[in-house]
């Protein structure tokens, strides 16, 4: 029951409709694969107090951790803008807490998958 990178991107795309984005109208979807093969999805959730917004990636991580999953293999991220949607700095740091070498899967404007490791995107991440 291996989940492919393409399937993970497709799961992330299913979350675009769920994004609560009345302020930015920028929809983001994420799908996080854990080492047991479970997928946790997330969307961004905004708030009239803008700083309260939660990104799609963190929604997925917090869903997973709160369900007892902490070991992650890959995360796929898409947005309504199309093309590569890179995780923000806060989400990179949150991912690094649990999975410093997680694979980050994006889709470019040609529909091709582009992958990085988190340590490429966030070298020298902070840890205690
Ligand atoms: N956003 C994400 O969901 N993930 C990111 O990595 C960057 C930004 C959201 C936050 C906000 O709802 C909207 O995109 C515009 O910044």
């Amino acid at each position: 029951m291996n989940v492919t990178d393409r399937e993970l991107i497709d799961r992330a795309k299913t979350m675009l409709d769920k994004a609560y984005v009345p302020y930015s109208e920028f929809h983001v979807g994420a799908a996080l694969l854990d080492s047991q093969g479970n997928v946790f999805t997330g969307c961004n959730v905004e708030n009239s107090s803008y700083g309260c917004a939660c990104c799609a990636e963190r929604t997925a991580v917090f869903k997973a951790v709160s369900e007892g999953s902490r070991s992650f293999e890959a995360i796929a991220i898409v947005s309504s803008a199309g093309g590569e949607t890179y995780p923000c700095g806060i989400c990179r740091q949150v991912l690094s807490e649990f999975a410093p070498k997680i694979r980050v899967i994006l889709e470019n404007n040609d529909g091709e998958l582009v992958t990085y490791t988190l340590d490429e995107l966030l070298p020298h991440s902070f840890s205690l």
Side-chain angles (χ1 to χ4, degrees), residues 40-52:
F40 296 88
T41 53
C43 64
N44 49 337
V45 181
E46 298 183 345
N47 191 276
S48 58
S49 178
Y50 297 167
C52 299

Side-chain angles (χ1 to χ4, degrees), residues 101-121:
K101 296 187 189 297
I102 191 172
R103 287 191 313 114
V104 178
I105 305 162
L106 314 176
E107 185 179 49
N108 70 19
N109 274 318
D110 296 322
E112 298 161 341
L113 301 187
V114 182
T115 66
Y116 298 87
T117 60
L118 185 61
D119 57 353
E120 289 179 292
L121 298 179

Side-chain angles (χ1 to χ4, degrees), residues 59-76:
T59 302
V61 170
F62 296 156
K63 281 172 68 178
V65 173
S66 62
E67 294 294 329
S69 179
R70 293 182 184 172
S71 174
F72 305 123
E73 304 287 328
I75 186 166

